[in-house]
Amino acid sequence: TWGFPNTPKVHPHLPTFSTIPFSGAASLKSHAFFNETGELPCHFPNTQNLSLDELVIFWQDQNKLVLYELFKGQEKPNNVHPKYIGRTSFDQDSWTLRLHNVQIKDTGLYQCYIHHKRSQGLISIHQMSSDLIVLANFSQPEINLIANQTEKSNIIDLTCSSMQGYPEPQGMYVNVTTKNSTITYDAVMKKSQNNITELYNVSISVSFPIPPETNVSIICVLQLEPRKIILSLPCNIDAKSPVPSPPVPDHILWIAAVLVTVVIVCGMVFLTLKKRKKQQPGPSNECAYGRTIQTAKRKCPRTIPQRSLASYSP
């Protein structure tokens, strides 16, 4: 094991050494993106202008695993943990170790140690801690409309999703904007995490009414931090136009026209006949009375006029 303070794991071939207080101890937060390169600075002031041939430099992670070691100007890959082999490079000008192909599992605290090698042994002259924070950019939220809107319904159902991000976002919601207002609809955010990459996929499902004959713009918002969000592209829904009546087939129009013509002609004939009947003269009372007298005369025998008795002789 290592024999100097605050480093429980010791290089196996180093001799016993004496120590002096650190020239300075500091901690710095460093951000890196998934699958890219992170930096672990050491910020060694080197006030004595020491050369690398006089120094022993190495970095350890939070589990005391060695990432990189430079012993008197020579790299020592045999002392590096297998998970870091081929993933590091040392910038001598800035005293910074670069960690390549950063994964979510690399999040944590790293320490840089620098010792001055003298004849009497190693002397610890500098130590610095770096807190590496690994991020993964979520994809732009994507809106997916569920096709259930009918002429009799103004309800919109949709899902919004975003993928391959880290850390877990704070929330997700939808803003619905019309000409006069903006309404926010939120829902319980569903999340899943990949067991290997540890990246998150998130989504929500939202249902809401929209006013008829109104243009609507929908935007999905992914809340990463209190002041950091990602917006989807707007999803615009145009107002419903009135549903036109289906066209009437030509043969139906032709039949309807014939029926209307027949009805009109029949009505005109009926009215003409009725008018003529009213204009034809009917029998008068005199005529009726005359016919009655004549009939009576035909039925009754004529009476013989009486002669005077004086003119009658047997």
Side-chain angles (χ1 to χ4, degrees), residues 3 130 142 152 182 215 267 306:
S130 297
E142 183 176 347
K152 297 182 180 180
T182 297
N215 293 327
Q306 294 181 357

Side-chain angles (χ1 to χ4, degrees), residues 10-304:
V10 176
H11 193 290
H13 66 260
L14 290 180
T16 306
F17 54 86
S18 61
T19 63
I20 61 175
F22 294 128
S23 61
S27 179
L28 178 68
K29 285 190 176 182
S30 177
H31 293 80
F33 286 96
F34 182 77
N35 278 341
E36 297 186 10
T37 298
E39 293 187 349
L40 305 175
C42 199
H43 290 175
F44 177 49
N46 196 15
T47 56
Q48 301 178 33
N49 197 24
L50 299 173
S51 68
L52 293 178
D53 294 337
E54 303 175 77
L55 301 175
V56 175
I57 308 169
F58 67 95
W59 275 261
Q60 287 183 333
D61 65 12
Q62 59 271 18
N63 297 317
K64 306 304 179 184
L65 303 179
V66 176
L67 287 75
Y68 176 85
E69 181 184 345
L70 190 69
F71 184 80
K72 298 179 64 174
Q74 299 293 322
E75 293 184 353
K76 296 293 182 178
N78 292 335
N79 296 325
V80 175
H81 191 274
K83 67 182 289 187
Y84 295 113
I85 293 292
R87 294 182 59 201
T88 59
S89 59
F90 177 53
D91 185 345
Q92 300 179 10
D93 295 330
S94 61
W95 301 89
T96 298
L97 182 70
R98 292 188 173 93
L99 179 61
H100 307 291
N101 192 26
V102 170
Q103 303 296 300
I104 302 300
K105 293 181 176 66
D106 293 324
T107 299
L109 189 66
Y110 295 83
Q111 290 182 320
C112 162
Y113 298 97
I114 297 180
H115 304 280
H116 186 197
K117 184 170 178 22
R118 297 179 181 177
S119 57
Q120 66 270 28
L122 292 178
I123 300 176
S124 299
I125 57 176
H126 183 72
Q127 176 183 357
M128 181 175 179
S129 298
S130 297
D131 190 8
L132 182 63
I133 300 173
V134 181
L135 307 172
N137 287 327
F138 278 91
S139 63
Q140 186 176 26
E142 183 176 347
I143 295 175
N144 181 28
L145 291 177
I146 301 174
N148 69 340
Q149 188 177 12
T150 64
E151 292 79 4
K152 297 182 180 180
S153 173
N154 292 320
I155 302 298
I156 294 295
D157 292 329
L158 62 81
T159 61
C160 181
S161 58
S162 181
M163 303 172 61
Q164 302 295 298
Y166 190 90
E168 178 185 344
Q170 294 185 355
M172 206 173 195
Y173 55 90
V174 170
N175 283 337
V176 180
T177 302
T178 61
K179 182 178 180 180
N180 299 322
S181 66
T182 297
I183 302 176
T184 298
Y185 297 92
D186 56 7
V188 177
M189 184 176 63
K190 300 178 182 177
K191 60 183 179 180
S192 61
Q193 189 175 22
N194 187 287
N195 292 332
I196 298 175
T197 65
E198 298 187 18
L199 300 180
Y200 286 97
N201 295 337
V202 294
S203 66
I204 59 172
S205 298
V206 181
S207 179
F208 55 88
I210 61 172
E213 302 180 2
T214 302
N215 293 327
V216 175
S217 179
I218 305 171
I219 294 180
C220 182
V221 182
L222 179 63
Q223 189 80 46
L224 301 178
E225 300 174 4
R227 297 184 180 180
K228 185 176 181 180
I229 61 176
I230 304 179
L231 302 179
S232 71
L233 294 175
C235 176
N236 299 318
I237 301 177
D238 295 332
K240 289 183 182 179
S241 58
V243 180
S245 300
V248 180
D250 293 340
H251 69 279
I252 294 180
L253 293 175
W254 183 83
I255 294 174
V258 171
L259 292 176
V260 170
T261 303
V262 170
V263 170
I264 293 175
V265 171
C266 291
M268 293 177 63
V269 171
F270 176 77
L271 292 175
T272 301
L273 293 176
K274 186 175 181 180
K275 185 176 181 181
R276 287 181 179 180
K277 187 174 181 181
K278 287 183 178 180
Q279 292 177 352
Q280 189 174 15
S284 63
N285 291 335
E286 291 183 357
C287 293
Y289 178 73
R291 285 196 299 270
T292 303
I293 295 175
Q294 292 177 359
T295 302
K297 287 183 179 181
R298 286 196 298 269
K299 291 182 179 181
C300 299
R302 290 185 179 182
T303 56
I304 300 174

